[in-house]
Amino acid sequence: MLLKIKPIAWAYSMITLGTEMLNSVFSFYYVKLFLHLYKISEVAFYQAQMILMIWNALNDLTGYFHVSQADCCSGHHSSVLYGAPLYSIAFLLPWFPWKYYHRGDWLSGLHLVVSLCAFDSALTCIQQAQCTLFAEIFTRHESPLRLLKINQVASLVGSTSILFSGLISDNMEILFNFQAFAVLIAILAMASLYTGTCHMSHLGPKRSPEENVFPESEQDLPWTSIVSLMRQLLTQKNFCLFLIMSFFQVFHLTFFNNFMMIFADNLIPKDVLPSFLRSIMYGAAFTCPQCLVLFSQSWLKKFGYYKIILISFYLKGTASIVMLLLGQQYYYFLALYLTVIMVIAQASSCLFNLPLADVVDADLLKFNRQSPLSSMVFGINALFTKPAQSLAPMIILSKLKQYGYGNPDKSTILDLHDAMFNLICLVPLAIAVIQILVWSPFSRRSKTDYTGTL
């Protein structure tokens, strides 16, 4: 039962609550905001995504690796405490225009660059600390499945921000209502992050000086040593397979997060699916994954994360084929498909910390390290997968522009709708095939039933 879970897990989940509350809203709405309301030019949008890709790489290199050998709980707590207000402020940046933007206004492009880079910096600061804390709790023989369970409860509550933002703002049609709601959840998220971090700093296990202090050579590693450690990590087959699989998962999630509203607005008539039901659909796409993970705990214990993740790829591919055969004229099936495909992808992604934690353990045993390279493992994962967050919107928008997206000329509308429908079916199908081929050789952990209590 959730009431039997240790307070440190509840504290950890408060960090998840604050992070999920803002991250889901930001990724879901910002593309439509800048394309439809701010009318950003195509070139400026691409430039912003390219700058974000470079910024992500620099952010991950400096944010994750500089503490790769000296992971310290107090340091991670400080990262969240200082990052919380910056994270909330960065979240609010895109929703308030700097002036009235005309079509193709250069200032809207600058606005997007600042918003993306600021939000990514703050999010990286918090996620780096949170991911490392997850691995540290894991290595202290706590049950990762129980931690995952309470974490999903927090994610479930946080992801309802999509539902309520849609209902309150009529899916961002009423910008003032959306802005007011954004300010509210920014305050709530900051309070949640502070609460979780303060409790973790008091509840977390205390290390002796011998455990806290590493040799000087490990405290301040030169870049040559970091590169050497990266090479050692990348020699592990499981880690490389996971990185490839995770890259395409991030691409898939970003694709649907950024464009789900745009596709639904164009492919499903509003008299068939009114605004209220669309808000429910969008909310379900973000809340149902957490429910699915919570209710699948017994499956995780029985089959392990490897099989569950693999099954999700088969389900994703099957759903894509069925929708492709049905066609876009079945509007209710299309709405169901958009929701299901998001649920499957989001739910399987919730399990990705488990194989990463296994990679940390395997590396610790293989090279007889004095401390786990948890920050570096999560940092390399971010370094390799985050480019997908920029590539996905660039590639999809480029494809849509070829069929007249953003052009008021109605002569191309049918071609545009066909292109959109093909994208939402063929992209998940292609990704599912690649992920099945990549994930199948993964050497799954022999122990699937974790013990211990949180």
Side-chain angles (χ1 to χ4, degrees), residues 40-52 112 390 393-401:
I40 189 173
S41 69
E42 183 181 359
V43 173
F45 185 83
Y46 295 154
Q47 289 173 342
Q49 296 296 340
M50 289 296 296
I51 293 172
L52 175 64
L112 179 58
S390 297
M394 284 195 294
I395 293 173
I396 300 304
L397 182 60
S398 175
K399 192 68 176 177
L400 294 178
K401 287 291 185 178

Side-chain angles (χ1 to χ4, degrees), residues 210-329:
E210 291 77 11
E211 292 177 308
N212 275 327
V213 180
F214 296 106
E216 185 178 352
S217 60
E218 292 184 354
Q219 285 283 349
D220 189 17
L221 286 174
W223 280 103
T224 53
S225 297
I226 291 178
V227 171
S228 177
L229 291 173
M230 288 179 65
R231 287 178 178 175
Q232 291 177 355
L233 285 169
L234 292 174
T235 58
Q236 299 185 46
K237 183 191 73 171
N238 277 356
F239 191 32
C240 292
L241 293 174
F242 177 85
L243 289 177
I244 299 171
M245 181 274 294
S246 183
F247 174 87
F248 285 100
Q249 189 80 351
V250 172
F251 187 98
H252 180 189
L253 286 174
T254 305
F255 166 41
F256 273 83
N257 279 343
N258 293 168
F259 290 92
M260 184 179 182
M261 287 184 69
I262 295 174
F263 289 151
D265 289 344
N266 282 271
L267 296 177
I268 306 175
K270 291 189 176 181
D271 58 337
V272 174
L273 199 69
S275 180
F276 174 78
L277 291 180
R278 289 173 190 266
S279 299
I280 299 297
M281 181 181 76
Y282 301 145
F286 282 83
T287 55
C288 289
Q290 280 72 37
C291 295
L292 185 59
V293 174
L294 285 171
F295 293 132
S296 65
Q297 293 293 305
S298 59
W299 294 351
L300 275 171
K301 290 181 179 180
K302 183 177 181 180
F303 300 108
Y305 62 74
Y306 167 80
K307 289 184 179 179
I308 298 297
I309 292 175
L310 186 60
I311 290 171
S312 74
F313 299 151
Y314 280 104
L315 291 175
K316 183 164 60 178
T318 303
S320 300
I321 293 173
V322 171
M323 192 66 243
L324 192 62
L325 294 175
L326 283 174
Q328 58 182 292
Q329 67 273 20

Side-chain angles (χ1 to χ4, degrees), residues 11-25:
Y12 178 88
S13 69
M14 293 298 291
I15 301 176
T16 299
L17 173 62
T19 305
E20 182 66 26
M21 201 181 295
L22 302 189
N23 192 32
S24 56
V25 171

